[in-house]
Amino acid sequence: MFTFLIITFLICIPNLEPEKAFVYGPNEKPYGKTYEQYAQIFWNEWVNQDATKSASSEFYKPLKCFTMEIDNKIFLQDFYAESPTNRDRTFECTISQKPIVIPALMEGCSYGDYSNLDDRNDNKLIECAHSHNPYAIVEVMIDGESVKNINDYRKTSDFFLLNVTNPANAYNIEPGKWRAIMDAIMVVVDLPVGEHDIRYKVNQKLPEIIAPNDFPLKTDVKYHFIVKPH
């Protein structure tokens, strides 16, 4: 009888170990999509942001919380910033429990970036997409733990159509449907209910021999989430 009571007591004790965030691997297809596809989805939405909402613009106005909800997933803000005044950002967000997509490093290039018709070719796009990312040092941390082998998450997409609809976009790309390509580090994570922190940092500068006047880009984006049941 005594042994039975002990076993029953142990079974009834709740699991006090908090549930951890689940990070999808670099070669997985979270929710049926590759990381290359997530980069395309993100860029089609992000490129159409008004300048006040895009960290790539001098007119950017940081919000208390910034997310983009696409296809029942929560996409965070792009890491990039043009000037030292808006590189480091901290957000406080209360969200429902949905997959989180982290755009830790992005380089998107399209025919719409070039006014010279001779520059509108695939070789130019590939060169553009790979111009900076190889020199970036990236760290993604979730609840204080770094995502391992983060460079394995860096993927180059297939060519796709970039649909630019906002004439006031921060990148000054002419509205239209443009052939495009992405090189990016995207991370998809599931966060359990509760409080969580996501942080992504980038240190990027081209070598002096390649671009002596290239400015160092150092960004530090922090999100504190209160995740509620969906």
Side-chain angles (χ1 to χ4, degrees), residues 29-222:
K29 295 177 67 175
Y31 300 94
K33 291 183 173 63
T34 66
Y35 279 109
E36 293 91 331
Q37 290 172 316
Y38 278 111
Q40 295 173 24
I41 293 169
F42 174 87
W43 196 241
N44 259 303
E45 184 76 19
W46 181 254
V47 77
N48 286 303
Q49 294 290 312
D50 288 332
T52 57
K53 296 180 180 179
S54 175
S56 300
S57 170
E58 282 297 317
F59 302 103
Y60 171 73
K61 296 179 180 178
L63 302 171
K64 180 180 179 181
C65 174
F66 179 91
T67 61
M68 296 188 302
E69 187 169 326
I70 313 169
D71 190 27
N72 207 35
K73 298 172 185 64
I74 294 174
F75 287 70
L76 306 188
Q77 183 171 287
D78 181 16
F79 82 101
Y80 195 67
E82 288 284 1
S83 75
T85 59
N86 61 20
R87 290 182 183 173
D88 297 339
R89 297 177 290 284
T90 301
F91 300 104
E92 301 278 342
C93 301
T94 298
I95 60 173
S96 59
Q97 191 178 27
K98 296 179 181 179
I100 304 290
V101 185
I102 307 169
L105 182 70
M106 308 290 295
E107 190 73 62
C109 301
S110 75
Y111 282 9
D113 294 317
Y114 302 101
S115 56
N116 187 340
L117 296 181
D118 291 337
D119 289 330
R120 292 179 177 176
N121 62 76
D122 289 355
N123 288 335
K124 193 78 173 179
L125 287 189
I126 294 170
E127 178 184 346
C128 172
H130 295 157
S131 61
H132 286 79
N133 287 358
Y135 308 102
I137 300 172
V138 180
E139 185 175 12
V140 177
M141 288 160 283
I142 300 170
D143 293 334
E145 293 188 17
S146 294
V147 175
K148 297 179 180 179
N149 303 315
I150 192 63
N151 288 326
D152 290 347
Y153 287 81
R154 184 180 157 218
K155 310 288 185 180
T156 301
S157 75
D158 295 330
F159 291 104
F160 65 99
L161 280 182
L162 180 69
N163 188 18
V164 182
T165 58
N166 182 4
N169 68 81
Y171 299 90
N172 297 315
I173 302 175
E174 181 182 346
K177 293 185 178 180
W178 305 103
R179 188 168 171 83
I181 194 171
M182 293 292 303
D183 187 79
I185 290 178
M186 311 289 287
V187 179
V188 176
V189 57
D190 290 335
L191 297 179
V193 171
E195 295 194 36
H196 300 276
D197 293 296
I198 290 179
R199 182 178 187 181
Y200 40 112
K201 301 166 65 177
V202 177
N203 188 336
Q204 177 179 282
K205 188 180 186 306
L206 269 63
E208 293 286 330
I209 192 171
I210 296 176
N213 297 320
D214 186 52
F215 67 89
L217 175 60
K218 296 182 180 181
T219 65
D220 191 350
V221 183
K222 308 180 190 75

